[in-house]
Amino acid sequence: MSEYQKTAVIGAGVIGASWAALFLASGRDVAVHDPVPGAEDAVRRYIDEAWPTLLELGLAAEGRRGALSFHATAAEAVTGADFVQESVPERIAIKHGLYAEIEPVLKPGAIVASSASGLTLGEMQTGWKDPSPFVLGHPFNPPHLIPLVEVMGNDHTRPSAVTGAEEFYKLVGKITIRVNREVPGHVANRLQAALWREAIHLVKTGVASVEDVDKAVWAGPGLRWAAMGPTMLFHLGAGEGGLAAFCERYTDSFNRWWDDLGVLHLDPSLSAELMSGVQQESRDRSPAELSSQRDALITAMQRATASLRAAS
């Protein structure tokens, strides 16, 4: 099963449709199930719209498109699949109902990965009689464009399911990290939640507007973070002596900043303030227009850095 030729996508909203496009682009067959009326038409439109980007990024080549099929039940879709990507709504009863349906018909050795961002692996595993084929495979939206996938198993997961998921994701062009311990939000969501909390605090306390806080990220450290992670960047920025010298030099500064970071919770009033700031920042551009701009910028960055990433 080294090439995982037959795949299934269960749940075909934005995340599932994006996964389907990526798997098809890699030349793999994709069986899709989603009970929402009109799901097939929506998925086909999404794939058609995503295809030029997949071609531009080298994730799809002419003539390599896999076969796409749609199925009335999840059990029918996963039958014979080597790899199943589950992206159904994050309600535990829905997850457990799905697992009870598909577990009896899974191909021996198949891997089932959940895109869940809010639920933990342990919570989801209780819906299985034998959770050994089940892993976390959490992407960043949209999966066909953002390379990161967070992969996790635990003592109830067979080791080959974790390593197999990592192998599969690499084959379709993804970059994986291993989550070693279960925490709410996994890794990347916690990082962005921490940054967003301080961004909101700066707005709430009148330090800067929503637009200027956003601008401070994308025009400043966001550019560096797109190249390397924060710890490596500080190591490089310290010059001779590296991270040890950086920590010695800036310990007092960082401790002072950390002590002053805001602690807050979203409420309707704060949400309304943020929404007002986003409306000013958008300048009458629709979410669809802004999403297209976002995807074009990400595509350009991915294309520009692909050769450098490959050489590293």
Side-chain angles (χ1 to χ4, degrees):
M1 208 189 303
S2 61
E3 294 302 317
Y4 305 93
Q5 183 59 35
K6 288 196 65 176
T7 69
V9 169
I10 308 301
V14 173
I15 300 294
S18 182
W19 276 125
L22 181 66
F23 296 171
L24 287 171
S26 72
R28 289 166 173 80
D29 298 336
V30 183
V32 178
H33 167 71
D34 192 307
V36 174
E40 179 174 348
D41 289 342
V43 170
R44 291 189 184 277
R45 282 196 306 270
Y46 189 101
I47 292 169
D48 288 343
E49 291 171 2
W51 207 257
T53 298
L54 290 163
L55 287 169
E56 188 173 355
L57 292 175
L59 294 171
E62 296 292 351
R64 286 183 56 208
R65 188 162 175 163
L68 178 65
S69 60
F70 292 83
H71 301 268
T73 67
E76 182 181 314
V78 306
T79 298
D82 304 312
F83 192 94
V84 178
Q85 188 74 42
E86 173 267 298
S87 304
V88 302
E90 293 208 21
R91 294 196 288 275
I92 199 67
I94 294 176
K95 300 276 192 188
H96 286 178
L98 170 67
Y99 304 150
E101 178 184 352
I102 67 174
E103 185 174 2
V105 298
L106 284 177
K107 179 179 179 178
I111 298 169
V112 179
S114 177
S115 299
S117 59
L119 297 173
T120 65
L121 182 66
E123 289 173 320
M124 294 185 289
Q125 281 177 325
T126 59
W128 292 79
K129 292 181 179 178
D130 174 15
S132 63
F134 182 63
V135 301
L136 177 75
H138 174 241
F140 253 47
N141 188 27
H144 73 276
L145 192 53
I146 306 294
L148 178 68
V149 184
E150 299 174 315
V151 178
M152 181 184 177
N154 58 21
D155 291 343
H156 301 294
T157 314
R158 70 172 189 267
S160 63
V162 178
T163 57
E166 290 171 330
E167 176 190 19
F168 172 78
Y169 287 132
K170 183 177 180 180
L171 288 170
V172 298
K174 306 299 282 181
I175 295 172
T176 65
I177 65 168
R178 182 80 67 92
V179 182
N180 295 319
R181 184 175 68 83
E182 190 168 275
V183 291
H186 320 315
V187 175
N189 270 337
R190 292 176 71 95
L191 291 171
Q192 67 175 5
L195 175 64
W196 197 40
R197 183 175 71 177
E198 183 55 23
I200 295 171
H201 174 68
L202 292 169
V203 172
K204 183 180 180 182
T205 56
V207 175
S209 67
V210 169
E211 180 174 4
D212 281 349
V213 171
D214 277 353
K215 193 183 297 182
V217 175
W218 67 255
L223 286 173
R224 298 194 304 181
W225 295 334
M228 295 180 181
T231 306
M232 179 59 76
L233 287 166
F234 286 147
H235 173 65
L236 298 178
E240 187 174 352
L243 188 63
F246 183 91
C247 289
E248 181 179 358
R249 190 178 308 153
Y250 294 109
T251 287
D252 289 344
S253 294
F254 272 91
N255 284 338
R256 181 184 181 190
W257 299 337
W258 286 330
D259 288 343
D260 194 51
L261 292 178
V263 176
L264 75 169
H265 288 84
L266 279 173
D267 57 35
S269 175
L270 186 52
S271 297
E273 182 179 356
L274 295 172
M275 190 63 210
S276 175
V278 165
Q279 288 172 338
Q280 293 177 38
E281 185 178 357
S282 67
R283 292 182 178 83
D284 296 324
R285 291 170 293 175
S286 70
E289 290 173 312
L290 291 166
S291 295
S292 294
Q293 180 184 20
R294 175 204 63 192
D295 290 354
L297 286 165
I298 293 172
T299 300
M301 288 186 284
Q302 291 277 61
R303 187 178 64 249
T305 59
S307 60
L308 294 173
R309 292 287 185 194
S312 65

mmCIF file of all heavy atoms in Angstrom, residues 203-245:
data_model
loop_
_atom_site.group_PDB
_atom_site.id
_atom_site.type_symbol
_atom_site.label_atom_id
_atom_site.label_comp_id
_atom_site.label_asym_id
_atom_site.label_seq_id
_atom_site.Cartn_x
_atom_site.Cartn_y
_atom_site.Cartn_z
ATOM 1 N N VAL A 203 -5.665 45.986 20.424
ATOM 2 C CA VAL A 203 -6.803 46.751 19.923
ATOM 3 C C VAL A 203 -7.672 47.231 21.077
ATOM 4 O O VAL A 203 -8.047 48.410 21.165
ATOM 5 C CB VAL A 203 -7.635 45.906 18.933
ATOM 6 C CG1 VAL A 203 -8.923 46.634 18.560
ATOM 7 C CG2 VAL A 203 -6.821 45.593 17.685
ATOM 8 N N LYS A 204 -7.990 46.324 21.982
ATOM 9 C CA LYS A 204 -8.900 46.638 23.089
ATOM 10 C C LYS A 204 -8.359 47.742 23.983
ATOM 11 O O LYS A 204 -9.124 48.576 24.488
ATOM 12 C CB LYS A 204 -9.149 45.372 23.915
ATOM 13 C CG LYS A 204 -10.145 45.555 25.053
ATOM 14 C CD LYS A 204 -10.350 44.270 25.826
ATOM 15 C CE LYS A 204 -11.365 44.479 26.958
ATOM 16 N NZ LYS A 204 -11.551 43.236 27.753
ATOM 17 N N THR A 205 -7.039 47.760 24.166
ATOM 18 C CA THR A 205 -6.439 48.760 25.052
ATOM 19 C C THR A 205 -6.007 50.020 24.311
ATOM 20 O O THR A 205 -5.335 50.890 24.884
ATOM 21 C CB THR A 205 -5.229 48.158 25.782
ATOM 22 O OG1 THR A 205 -4.289 47.635 24.830
ATOM 23 C CG2 THR A 205 -5.661 47.047 26.727
ATOM 24 N N GLY A 206 -6.372 50.123 23.026
ATOM 25 C CA GLY A 206 -6.135 51.353 22.288
ATOM 26 C C GLY A 206 -4.723 51.563 21.805
ATOM 27 O O GLY A 206 -4.361 52.680 21.399
ATOM 28 N N VAL A 207 -3.912 50.520 21.779
ATOM 29 C CA VAL A 207 -2.538 50.666 21.319
ATOM 30 C C VAL A 207 -2.486 50.878 19.809
ATOM 31 O O VAL A 207 -1.702 51.695 19.308
ATOM 32 C CB VAL A 207 -1.696 49.433 21.724
ATOM 33 C CG1 VAL A 207 -0.286 49.510 21.135
ATOM 34 C CG2 VAL A 207 -1.635 49.314 23.245
ATOM 35 N N ALA A 208 -3.319 50.148 19.063
ATOM 36 C CA ALA A 208 -3.326 50.267 17.608
ATOM 37 C C ALA A 208 -4.663 49.754 17.081
ATOM 38 O O ALA A 208 -5.388 49.030 17.770
ATOM 39 C CB ALA A 208 -2.170 49.486 16.982
ATOM 40 N N SER A 209 -4.977 50.119 15.835
ATOM 41 C CA SER A 209 -6.225 49.678 15.212
ATOM 42 C C SER A 209 -6.106 48.228 14.744
ATOM 43 O O SER A 209 -5.005 47.673 14.656
ATOM 44 C CB SER A 209 -6.550 50.563 14.002
ATOM 45 O OG SER A 209 -5.579 50.365 12.970
ATOM 46 N N VAL A 210 -7.257 47.640 14.424
ATOM 47 C CA VAL A 210 -7.259 46.279 13.872
ATOM 48 C C VAL A 210 -6.377 46.215 12.633
ATOM 49 O O VAL A 210 -5.544 45.305 12.476
ATOM 50 C CB VAL A 210 -8.697 45.828 13.536
ATOM 51 C CG1 VAL A 210 -8.682 44.531 12.727
ATOM 52 C CG2 VAL A 210 -9.507 45.634 14.817
ATOM 53 N N GLU A 211 -6.545 47.189 11.742
ATOM 54 C CA GLU A 211 -5.775 47.175 10.495
ATOM 55 C C GLU A 211 -4.275 47.293 10.765
ATOM 56 O O GLU A 211 -3.474 46.585 10.148
ATOM 57 C CB GLU A 211 -6.234 48.303 9.579
ATOM 58 C CG GLU A 211 -5.470 48.337 8.259
ATOM 59 C CD GLU A 211 -6.020 49.357 7.278
ATOM 60 O OE1 GLU A 211 -6.967 50.097 7.643
ATOM 61 O OE2 GLU A 211 -5.513 49.415 6.142
ATOM 62 N N ASP A 212 -3.890 48.165 11.674
ATOM 63 C CA ASP A 212 -2.458 48.343 11.915
ATOM 64 C C ASP A 212 -1.844 47.153 12.643
ATOM 65 O O ASP A 212 -0.681 46.817 12.419
ATOM 66 C CB ASP A 212 -2.210 49.640 12.685
ATOM 67 C CG ASP A 212 -2.255 50.865 11.782
ATOM 68 O OD1 ASP A 212 -2.274 50.692 10.545
ATOM 69 O OD2 ASP A 212 -2.269 51.998 12.305
ATOM 70 N N VAL A 213 -2.596 46.504 13.505
ATOM 71 C CA VAL A 213 -2.084 45.280 14.137
ATOM 72 C C VAL A 213 -1.896 44.196 13.086
ATOM 73 O O VAL A 213 -0.873 43.500 13.067
ATOM 74 C CB VAL A 213 -3.022 44.811 15.263
ATOM 75 C CG1 VAL A 213 -2.605 43.435 15.760
ATOM 76 C CG2 VAL A 213 -3.007 45.807 16.420
ATOM 77 N N ASP A 214 -2.881 44.039 12.193
ATOM 78 C CA ASP A 214 -2.729 43.069 11.100
ATOM 79 C C ASP A 214 -1.520 43.416 10.237
ATOM 80 O O ASP A 214 -0.725 42.545 9.861
ATOM 81 C CB ASP A 214 -3.986 43.044 10.234
ATOM 82 C CG ASP A 214 -5.089 42.160 10.802
ATOM 83 O OD1 ASP A 214 -4.828 41.468 11.805
ATOM 84 O OD2 ASP A 214 -6.188 42.155 10.233
ATOM 85 N N LYS A 215 -1.374 44.708 9.937
ATOM 86 C CA LYS A 215 -0.258 45.148 9.110
ATOM 87 C C LYS A 215 1.085 44.884 9.808
ATOM 88 O O LYS A 215 2.078 44.527 9.151
ATOM 89 C CB LYS A 215 -0.406 46.639 8.783
ATOM 90 C CG LYS A 215 0.508 47.144 7.681
ATOM 91 C CD LYS A 215 0.334 48.652 7.478
ATOM 92 C CE LYS A 215 -1.069 48.996 7.019
ATOM 93 N NZ LYS A 215 -1.215 50.460 6.777
ATOM 94 N N ALA A 216 1.115 45.049 11.118
ATOM 95 C CA ALA A 216 2.347 44.798 11.868
ATOM 96 C C ALA A 216 2.799 43.353 11.733
ATOM 97 O O ALA A 216 3.992 43.058 11.791
ATOM 98 C CB ALA A 216 2.139 45.148 13.344
ATOM 99 N N VAL A 217 1.835 42.438 11.524
ATOM 100 C CA VAL A 217 2.183 41.023 11.359
ATOM 101 C C VAL A 217 2.661 40.741 9.938
ATOM 102 O O VAL A 217 3.770 40.253 9.722
ATOM 103 C CB VAL A 217 0.986 40.119 11.718
ATOM 104 C CG1 VAL A 217 1.320 38.657 11.416
ATOM 105 C CG2 VAL A 217 0.635 40.280 13.198
ATOM 106 N N TRP A 218 1.813 41.081 8.925
ATOM 107 C CA TRP A 218 2.170 40.647 7.562
ATOM 108 C C TRP A 218 3.327 41.441 6.974
ATOM 109 O O TRP A 218 4.085 40.923 6.141
ATOM 110 C CB TRP A 218 0.961 40.649 6.632
ATOM 111 C CG TRP A 218 0.331 41.968 6.276
ATOM 112 C CD1 TRP A 218 -0.848 42.465 6.766
ATOM 113 C CD2 TRP A 218 0.778 42.939 5.330
ATOM 114 N NE1 TRP A 218 -1.150 43.684 6.207
ATOM 115 C CE2 TRP A 218 -0.162 44.006 5.301
ATOM 116 C CE3 TRP A 218 1.878 43.023 4.477
ATOM 117 C CZ2 TRP A 218 -0.037 45.122 4.490
ATOM 118 C CZ3 TRP A 218 2.013 44.141 3.659
ATOM 119 C CH2 TRP A 218 1.070 45.178 3.664
ATOM 120 N N ALA A 219 3.511 42.690 7.408
ATOM 121 C CA ALA A 219 4.614 43.484 6.872
ATOM 122 C C ALA A 219 5.865 43.411 7.734
ATOM 123 O O ALA A 219 6.885 44.000 7.382
ATOM 124 C CB ALA A 219 4.181 44.948 6.736
ATOM 125 N N GLY A 220 5.781 42.708 8.863
ATOM 126 C CA GLY A 220 6.911 42.611 9.773
ATOM 127 C C GLY A 220 7.343 41.179 9.999
ATOM 128 O O GLY A 220 7.825 40.512 9.080
ATOM 129 N N PRO A 221 7.140 40.665 11.213
ATOM 130 C CA PRO A 221 7.650 39.322 11.526
ATOM 131 C C PRO A 221 7.009 38.207 10.707
ATOM 132 O O PRO A 221 7.604 37.150 10.549
ATOM 133 C CB PRO A 221 7.356 39.161 13.020
ATOM 134 C CG PRO A 221 6.280 40.162 13.312
ATOM 135 C CD PRO A 221 6.532 41.303 12.395
ATOM 136 N N GLY A 222 5.790 38.447 10.173
ATOM 137 C CA GLY A 222 5.162 37.412 9.356
ATOM 138 C C GLY A 222 6.014 37.001 8.170
ATOM 139 O O GLY A 222 6.027 35.835 7.777
ATOM 140 N N LEU A 223 6.730 37.953 7.596
ATOM 141 C CA LEU A 223 7.619 37.630 6.475
ATOM 142 C C LEU A 223 8.739 36.703 6.917
ATOM 143 O O LEU A 223 9.113 35.764 6.211
ATOM 144 C CB LEU A 223 8.204 38.915 5.883
ATOM 145 C CG LEU A 223 7.246 39.775 5.050
ATOM 146 C CD1 LEU A 223 7.916 41.097 4.689
ATOM 147 C CD2 LEU A 223 6.821 39.036 3.789
ATOM 148 N N ARG A 224 9.285 36.947 8.090
ATOM 149 C CA ARG A 224 10.350 36.074 8.596
ATOM 150 C C ARG A 224 9.792 34.703 8.980
ATOM 151 O O ARG A 224 10.422 33.682 8.720
ATOM 152 C CB ARG A 224 11.033 36.713 9.808
ATOM 153 C CG ARG A 224 11.722 38.034 9.499
ATOM 154 C CD ARG A 224 12.655 38.448 10.600
ATOM 155 N NE ARG A 224 12.006 38.542 11.898
ATOM 156 C CZ ARG A 224 12.625 38.911 13.021
ATOM 157 N NH1 ARG A 224 13.909 39.219 12.999
ATOM 158 N NH2 ARG A 224 11.976 38.987 14.168
ATOM 159 N N TRP A 225 8.602 34.701 9.600
ATOM 160 C CA TRP A 225 8.012 33.425 10.009
ATOM 161 C C TRP A 225 7.681 32.536 8.817
ATOM 162 O O TRP A 225 7.619 31.311 8.956
ATOM 163 C CB TRP A 225 6.757 33.673 10.840
ATOM 164 C CG TRP A 225 7.029 34.347 12.151
ATOM 165 C CD1 TRP A 225 8.188 34.305 12.874
ATOM 166 C CD2 TRP A 225 6.131 35.171 12.885
ATOM 167 N NE1 TRP A 225 8.063 35.056 14.017
ATOM 168 C CE2 TRP A 225 6.805 35.604 14.054
ATOM 169 C CE3 TRP A 225 4.829 35.602 12.671
ATOM 170 C CZ2 TRP A 225 6.213 36.435 15.003
ATOM 171 C CZ3 TRP A 225 4.236 36.424 13.616
ATOM 172 C CH2 TRP A 225 4.919 36.835 14.775
ATOM 173 N N ALA A 226 7.448 33.142 7.654
ATOM 174 C CA ALA A 226 7.203 32.342 6.458
ATOM 175 C C ALA A 226 8.462 31.633 5.988
ATOM 176 O O ALA A 226 8.388 30.682 5.213
ATOM 177 C CB ALA A 226 6.659 33.225 5.331
ATOM 178 N N ALA A 227 9.612 32.092 6.474
ATOM 179 C CA ALA A 227 10.879 31.471 6.081
ATOM 180 C C ALA A 227 11.348 30.456 7.110
ATOM 181 O O ALA A 227 11.765 29.341 6.770
ATOM 182 C CB ALA A 227 11.955 32.545 5.892
ATOM 183 N N MET A 228 11.292 30.830 8.394
ATOM 184 C CA MET A 228 11.756 29.952 9.474
ATOM 185 C C MET A 228 10.952 30.241 10.731
ATOM 186 O O MET A 228 10.323 31.292 10.854
ATOM 187 C CB MET A 228 13.247 30.186 9.760
ATOM 188 C CG MET A 228 14.175 29.807 8.631
ATOM 189 S SD MET A 228 15.911 30.114 9.085
ATOM 190 C CE MET A 228 16.713 29.612 7.552
ATOM 191 N N GLY A 229 11.016 29.326 11.674
ATOM 192 C CA GLY A 229 10.300 29.486 12.929
ATOM 193 C C GLY A 229 10.975 30.486 13.854
ATOM 194 O O GLY A 229 12.143 30.853 13.664
ATOM 195 N N PRO A 230 10.252 30.940 14.891
ATOM 196 C CA PRO A 230 10.758 32.019 15.732
ATOM 197 C C PRO A 230 12.032 31.690 16.487
ATOM 198 O O PRO A 230 12.903 32.549 16.635
ATOM 199 C CB PRO A 230 9.594 32.300 16.690
ATOM 200 C CG PRO A 230 8.764 31.057 16.687
ATOM 201 C CD PRO A 230 8.903 30.498 15.319
ATOM 202 N N THR A 231 12.174 30.472 16.966
ATOM 203 C CA THR A 231 13.374 30.139 17.734
ATOM 204 C C THR A 231 14.612 30.140 16.851
ATOM 205 O O THR A 231 15.662 30.696 17.221
ATOM 206 C CB THR A 231 13.204 28.773 18.420
ATOM 207 O OG1 THR A 231 11.999 28.770 19.190
ATOM 208 C CG2 THR A 231 14.379 28.482 19.352
ATOM 209 N N MET A 232 14.517 29.571 15.661
ATOM 210 C CA MET A 232 15.653 29.585 14.736
ATOM 211 C C MET A 232 15.979 31.006 14.297
ATOM 212 O O MET A 232 17.165 31.379 14.177
ATOM 213 C CB MET A 232 15.352 28.713 13.524
ATOM 214 C CG MET A 232 16.472 28.675 12.487
ATOM 215 S SD MET A 232 18.041 28.054 13.157
ATOM 216 C CE MET A 232 17.675 26.289 13.217
ATOM 217 N N LEU A 233 14.962 31.823 14.078
ATOM 218 C CA LEU A 233 15.204 33.201 13.661
ATOM 219 C C LEU A 233 15.939 33.990 14.742
ATOM 220 O O LEU A 233 16.845 34.783 14.437
ATOM 221 C CB LEU A 233 13.884 33.883 13.309
ATOM 222 C CG LEU A 233 13.246 33.430 11.994
ATOM 223 C CD1 LEU A 233 11.804 33.905 11.902
ATOM 224 C CD2 LEU A 233 14.046 33.935 10.801
ATOM 225 N N PHE A 234 15.564 33.793 16.003
ATOM 226 C CA PHE A 234 16.274 34.479 17.084
ATOM 227 C C PHE A 234 17.713 33.963 17.200
ATOM 228 O O PHE A 234 18.636 34.719 17.494
ATOM 229 C CB PHE A 234 15.534 34.305 18.405
ATOM 230 C CG PHE A 234 14.282 35.124 18.510
ATOM 231 C CD1 PHE A 234 13.186 34.660 19.225
ATOM 232 C CD2 PHE A 234 14.184 36.372 17.907
ATOM 233 C CE1 PHE A 234 12.032 35.420 19.335
ATOM 234 C CE2 PHE A 234 13.029 37.139 18.003
ATOM 235 C CZ PHE A 234 11.949 36.663 18.724
ATOM 236 N N HIS A 235 17.883 32.670 16.946
ATOM 237 C CA HIS A 235 19.239 32.098 16.950
ATOM 238 C C HIS A 235 20.103 32.777 15.884
ATOM 239 O O HIS A 235 21.260 33.165 16.148
ATOM 240 C CB HIS A 235 19.156 30.598 16.692
ATOM 241 C CG HIS A 235 20.472 29.909 16.518
ATOM 242 N ND1 HIS A 235 21.400 29.810 17.523
ATOM 243 C CD2 HIS A 235 21.011 29.284 15.430
ATOM 244 C CE1 HIS A 235 22.471 29.150 17.078
ATOM 245 N NE2 HIS A 235 22.248 28.822 15.809
ATOM 246 N N LEU A 236 19.546 32.955 14.700
ATOM 247 C CA LEU A 236 20.293 33.581 13.613
ATOM 248 C C LEU A 236 20.481 35.080 13.836
ATOM 249 O O LEU A 236 21.504 35.652 13.443
ATOM 250 C CB LEU A 236 19.563 33.353 12.286
ATOM 251 C CG LEU A 236 19.408 31.889 11.837
ATOM 252 C CD1 LEU A 236 18.622 31.815 10.548
ATOM 253 C CD2 LEU A 236 20.761 31.217 11.689
ATOM 254 N N GLY A 237 19.501 35.720 14.468
ATOM 255 C CA GLY A 237 19.559 37.157 14.649
ATOM 256 C C GLY A 237 20.525 37.616 15.719
ATOM 257 O O GLY A 237 20.814 38.813 15.827
ATOM 258 N N ALA A 238 21.032 36.686 16.514
ATOM 259 C CA ALA A 238 21.915 37.061 17.616
ATOM 260 C C ALA A 238 23.357 37.239 17.189
ATOM 261 O O ALA A 238 24.178 37.752 17.949
ATOM 262 C CB ALA A 238 21.839 36.008 18.716
ATOM 263 N N GLY A 239 23.673 36.801 15.948
ATOM 264 C CA GLY A 239 25.068 36.861 15.518
ATOM 265 C C GLY A 239 25.893 35.813 16.232
ATOM 266 O O GLY A 239 25.406 34.719 16.579
ATOM 267 N N GLU A 240 27.133 36.125 16.491
ATOM 268 C CA GLU A 240 28.021 35.166 17.158
ATOM 269 C C GLU A 240 27.483 34.848 18.553
ATOM 270 O O GLU A 240 27.096 35.731 19.309
ATOM 271 C CB GLU A 240 29.424 35.753 17.272
ATOM 272 C CG GLU A 240 30.455 34.759 17.789
ATOM 273 C CD GLU A 240 31.871 35.302 17.766
ATOM 274 O OE1 GLU A 240 32.068 36.410 17.206
ATOM 275 O OE2 GLU A 240 32.762 34.638 18.309
ATOM 276 N N GLY A 241 27.437 33.586 18.869
ATOM 277 C CA GLY A 241 26.882 33.153 20.150
ATOM 278 C C GLY A 241 25.493 32.586 20.034
ATOM 279 O O GLY A 241 25.028 31.877 20.926
ATOM 280 N N GLY A 242 24.802 32.896 18.935
ATOM 281 C CA GLY A 242 23.522 32.279 18.640
ATOM 282 C C GLY A 242 22.473 32.474 19.723
ATOM 283 O O GLY A 242 22.417 33.517 20.391
ATOM 284 N N LEU A 243 21.622 31.457 19.891
ATOM 285 C CA LEU A 243 20.471 31.569 20.788
ATOM 286 C C LEU A 243 20.888 31.798 22.232
ATOM 287 O O LEU A 243 20.212 32.520 22.975
ATOM 288 C CB LEU A 243 19.600 30.318 20.667
ATOM 289 C CG LEU A 243 18.264 30.376 21.401
ATOM 290 C CD1 LEU A 243 17.367 31.474 20.829
ATOM 291 C CD2 LEU A 243 17.543 29.034 21.340
ATOM 292 N N ALA A 244 22.006 31.193 22.655
ATOM 293 C CA ALA A 244 22.454 31.389 24.032
ATOM 294 C C ALA A 244 22.746 32.866 24.288
ATOM 295 O O ALA A 244 22.347 33.429 25.316
ATOM 296 C CB ALA A 244 23.695 30.544 24.294
ATOM 297 N N ALA A 245 23.418 33.506 23.343
ATOM 298 C CA ALA A 245 23.709 34.930 23.487
ATOM 299 C C ALA A 245 22.434 35.756 23.423
ATOM 300 O O ALA A 245 22.285 36.749 24.153
ATOM 301 C CB ALA A 245 24.684 35.368 22.395
#
